[in-house]
Each structure stands twice: as C-alpha cells, then as structure tokens.
Amino acid sequence: MIKGAIFDMDGTVLDSMYLWTNIGPRFLEHIGVKTDIDIKTETKTMLFEEMNNYFNDHGLINMSLQEFTDTANSMVETGYYYDVLVKPGVKEFLQKLKDRNIPMVLATATDRHLLEAALKRNGIFEYFDKIYTCNEVGCDKKTTKIYDLANEFLGTPKDETFIFEDTLTPIKTLHDTKYKVVGVYDKWSDKNTEKIKELADFYAENLNELNIDEL
C-alpha cells in the first residue's frame, strides 16, 4: 500500500522534456562553438557538471560550472517561466494522494528557480512537502542518493514508498531496491517504453489512470 510518494518532475509531472532535448549540441550552438565530435551521443545522459567538465576537457569551452549552469539555464528559462504545462491527469492524481494524506516529495535534476516557477504557475507547487534537486544534493539519478534522502524525509517504509519516473536510467537504478517504481509514459522516452514497462512495478500512460487503492 502506498504510504509516501516521490515524483520526478520533467516528463513525469511536467511536459517539459522538449526543453532538454539535445541540450549539449544546442549549448555549443548557442555560444557559437562548432565541433566534429558527436556531442548529442556523448552528452546524452550527462548532468551539468559532467557536461561542463567534458566540454572543458575537450577545449570546447573555458567556463566554470557556475558560468555553464547559468548559460544552460538561460536557454530553458523562458520555457519554465511561461510555457511548460502540467501533464494531463497529474493534478487530479496529486489531489487524490492529498485527500488520502499521503505525503509527496519532488526529486529532480532541474534547478530550483526553474522548477518553482513552473510548478507555481501550474498550480501544483503546494502539493509537495519538500523538493530535492540533484545539483543541491550533489548526485545524479544513477545512484539512489536523492531518493534515499527523500524517503528519509517521508519516513515511510521503502516497500510502501512509490517513485514515479519517466526515463530509463533512474528506473534501472531503482529496479533492485525495495522501492516501488511507477513508470510514466512520456513521448520523449518512446524508444525505451517496453524496457521501462519490464523494469517498473507499475506503468501508466496517464497518472490519473492509476487506482491508488490498488497501489
């Protein structure tokens, strides 16, 4: 039975993955740098720190992590502040959890000022009791650190803590843990849908399809 919920944001709660598609090559294009390296492939799963180090190591940029982060965030800021919408069925599902007094936490790779702007504009910020970001925690989702911190805050047994994710990497990370994993459909993860279904404990095209009493 679900006692606590941990949500990813981009692609799970918000329809925002399009902002991050090919962010590596788009970043270089944004600052006017050309290269023959297959940046799309090389940087596909990198967080900002990894990408910044990679670009610096290959002589493509000469930036501190803060400069890199500020530049990358500026590229997506307008989207979070004005455009990104909550995914269909999400608000209704969050309300159902709230009605049952099930605490909810957000665990995301997106920086706080961007996520707060989008969540507040979409009227769902108040559903979350706490927010953890990868940059603040100092990890990516190839480890369980951010989820373990969120679970510690919730104070719920791992096998009654449900984690909602739309992409394959975190679902792989969580597969051999005691957490219950819910795979959520997102068109930007289309090619991994079958693998996500295989690894997740539950799967939903739309979160509001889920019967909370059966989780």
Side-chain angles (χ1 to χ4, degrees), residues 113 151 182:
H113 71 287
N151 178 238
V182 181

Side-chain angles (χ1 to χ4, degrees), residues 7-64:
F7 289 89
D8 169 58
M9 187 180 75
D10 297 295
T12 300
V13 169
L14 297 180
D15 187 11
S16 51
M17 285 301 291
Y18 70 94
L19 294 173
W20 298 106
T21 302
N22 300 330
I23 192 66
R26 284 170 49 214
F27 181 94
L28 294 182
E29 182 181 356
H30 179 73
I31 62 172
V33 173
K34 295 182 179 180
T35 178
D36 294 329
I37 300 172
D38 184 1
I39 297 299
K40 179 180 177 181
T41 300
E42 293 296 323
T43 62
K44 186 174 182 180
T45 62
M46 290 182 182
L47 290 178
F48 281 179
E49 184 172 5
E50 296 173 290
M51 199 179 300
N52 180 59
N53 290 339
Y54 181 86
F55 287 166
N56 276 298
D57 290 345
H58 285 77
L60 298 171
I61 63 173
N62 181 20
M63 288 186 181
S64 68

Side-chain angles (χ1 to χ4, degrees), residues 53-80:
N53 290 339
Y54 181 86
F55 287 166
N56 276 298
D57 290 345
H58 285 77
L60 298 171
I61 63 173
N62 181 20
M63 288 186 181
S64 68
L65 177 58
Q66 190 60 55
E67 289 175 308
F68 179 90
T69 300
D70 289 346
T71 303
N73 280 341
S74 72
M75 293 170 58
V76 299
E77 191 171 82
T78 297
Y80 282 103

Side-chain angles (χ1 to χ4, degrees), residues 1-209:
M1 179 180 292
I2 183 171
K3 295 290 183 63
I6 300 170
F7 289 89
D8 169 58
M9 187 180 75
D10 297 295
T12 300
V13 169
L14 297 180
D15 187 11
S16 51
M17 285 301 291
Y18 70 94
L19 294 173
W20 298 106
T21 302
N22 300 330
I23 192 66
R26 284 170 49 214
F27 181 94
L28 294 182
E29 182 181 356
H30 179 73
I31 62 172
V33 173
K34 295 182 179 180
T35 178
D36 294 329
I37 300 172
D38 184 1
I39 297 299
K40 179 180 177 181
T41 300
E42 293 296 323
T43 62
K44 186 174 182 180
T45 62
M46 290 182 182
L47 290 178
F48 281 179
E49 184 172 5
E50 296 173 290
M51 199 179 300
N52 180 59
N53 290 339
Y54 181 86
F55 287 166
N56 276 298
D57 290 345
H58 285 77
L60 298 171
I61 63 173
N62 181 20
M63 288 186 181
S64 68
L65 177 58
Q66 190 60 55
E67 289 175 308
F68 179 90
T69 300
D70 289 346
T71 303
N73 280 341
S74 72
M75 293 170 58
V76 299
E77 191 171 82
T78 297
Y80 282 103
Y81 274 76
Y82 301 105
D83 302 324
V84 164
L85 298 175
V86 65
K87 293 182 74 173
V90 166
K91 191 168 186 178
E92 294 85 349
F93 184 70
L94 296 178
Q95 185 62 48
K96 288 177 183 177
L97 292 176
K98 183 177 180 180
D99 291 343
R100 289 165 172 77
N101 295 314
I102 295 170
M104 293 170 269
V105 171
L106 200 71
T108 177
T110 300
D111 281 0
R112 186 172 293 270
H113 71 287
L114 299 175
L115 69 89
E116 287 190 355
L119 295 178
K120 288 176 181 178
R121 180 171 51 79
N122 280 282
I124 58 172
F125 179 77
E126 298 301 327
Y127 284 103
F128 300 102
D129 299 288
K130 194 168 181 66
I131 294 170
Y132 293 88
T133 74
C134 287
N135 284 340
E136 290 173 354
V137 169
C139 71
D140 56 24
K141 289 188 173 181
K142 295 175 185 176
T143 76
T144 63
K145 181 177 179 179
I146 195 168
Y147 306 110
D148 293 337
L149 287 171
N151 178 238
E152 184 179 338
F153 170 81
L154 290 170
T156 50
K158 286 186 177 181
D159 60 359
E160 294 179 318
T161 302
F162 282 61
I163 301 177
F164 299 79
E165 283 279 1
D166 67 294
T167 55
L168 184 58
T169 295
I171 290 172
K172 281 183 175 178
T173 298
L174 294 162
H175 179 59
D176 291 325
T177 68
K178 293 182 179 179
Y179 294 115
K180 298 297 183 185
V181 180
V182 181
V184 181
Y185 174 77
D186 189 71
K187 62 184 177 182
W188 300 101
S189 296
D190 243 345
K191 66 180 181 180
N192 294 320
T193 295
E194 292 308 312
K195 188 63 176 178
I196 289 171
K197 287 181 178 179
E198 177 187 330
L199 295 176
D201 297 290
F202 301 88
Y203 186 81
E205 298 278 339
N206 178 312
L207 281 180
N208 206 34
E209 297 171 358

